Amino acid sequence: MQKLKELIIEKTEKYVRNELGAEATGHDWFHIERVRNNALHIWQHEKSGDPFIIEMAALLHDISDEKLNKSAEIGEAKPEKFLSTISLMDKDKNHIKQIIQSISFKGGRKTELVTVEAKIVQDADRLDAIGAIGIARAFAYGGKKGQPIYDPNISVREEMSLEEYRNGKSSSIHHFYEKLLKLKELLHTARAKEMAEIRQNMMESFLAQFFQEWNGKV
Ligand code: ADP
Ligand code: NI
């Protein structure tokens, strides 16, 4: 059984590597690998949930993302299609699909997460959006989208639709206030909250320094 699970993980890893390739908006293979590692690390501390489901969902969590697919429909069909090629109980396949569907942030809309596995994978994904890696990803995403580093004439959006979240006028610095600084409060597990501390401090000191330099005070 263990051996079979290892083979399934291996096959999933190959599939995801191949699908994501050199994606440049922050959803590349290395992001997936970090989320998998964060998730398994959290599981080791929490000692709750099925590590196989956690690892599978972490590997597949961005495969449906609209940004990586020609249409939302094509993306949404992918987990189903891939999971139909592996031998696993329907109960497990459905759990994995349900985690993937429920964890995306998408402009602030929240889906109530029911299982500990879903909570752990979402925490792992959110940890990768904050801290030093989160800073790097925000500017990589901004560069790819052609959005400014910062623009003092744009106001911070408190509430936004999915359309505004994706296409509204913003800057990468605004993204910290609209999303990244809020993520710490949304974490579920004790271990992820602990891990978020240093990452939160890193973003706060980065922003403080950024505005010092922006305002010519250094
Ligand atoms: P999610 O998995 O929550 O849907 P996204 O696909 O929205 O994440 O974002 C992927 C990465 O790009 C994250 O690190 C996120 O912080 C960053 N990002 C998303 N939108 C913006 C934006 N408007 N400006 C800067 N960075 C962004
Ligand atoms: Ni992700």
Side-chain angles (χ1 to χ4, degrees), residues 27 31 61-62 125:
H27 280 134
H31 163 63
H61 85 273
D62 272 335
D125 193 28

Side-chain angles (χ1 to χ4, degrees), residues 28-148:
D28 54 301
W29 165 253
F30 296 116
H31 163 63
I32 305 301
E33 199 159 47
R34 290 190 302 267
V35 172
R36 181 232 302 243
N37 290 338
N38 285 345
L40 291 175
H41 175 88
I42 296 169
W43 172 78
Q44 271 168 359
H45 280 256
E46 301 289 317
K47 291 278 184 286
S48 165
D50 177 344
F52 172 73
I53 298 287
I54 291 170
E55 190 166 3
M56 286 294 287
L59 285 170
L60 292 165
H61 85 273
D62 272 335
I63 215 76
S64 302
D65 197 285
E66 302 152 89
K67 294 194 258 16
L68 304 172
N69 291 288
K70 289 204 185 76
S71 74
E73 293 73 37
I74 294 176
E76 276 156 27
K78 274 188 182 170
E80 175 87 58
K81 217 169 150 199
F82 172 72
L83 289 168
S84 72
T85 70
I86 60 177
S87 130
L88 204 58
M89 282 187 298
D90 278 349
K91 174 176 78 65
D92 289 342
K93 288 186 185 181
N94 290 336
H95 192 180
I96 294 166
K97 272 188 281 182
Q98 187 240 328
I99 297 175
I100 303 168
Q101 280 160 10
S102 61
I103 66 169
S104 171
F105 182 89
K106 299 271 162 59
R109 256 158 304 286
K110 279 178 237 150
T111 322
E112 207 45 55
L113 299 187
V114 276
T115 67
V116 63
E117 289 86 353
K119 290 177 181 171
I120 289 179
V121 178
Q122 186 175 61
D123 280 3
D125 193 28
R126 285 175 166 169
L127 284 171
D128 205 53
I130 63 176
I133 297 275
I135 295 171
R137 288 180 78 210
F139 293 102
Y141 180 102
K144 169 102 177 179
K145 288 276 176 171
Q147 100 187 345

Side-chain angles (χ1 to χ4, degrees), residues 202-213:
M202 164 69 75
M203 291 193 293
E204 279 164 5
S205 58
F206 166 77
L207 289 167
Q209 177 74 16
F210 182 93
F211 284 110
Q212 289 267 320
E213 294 177 20

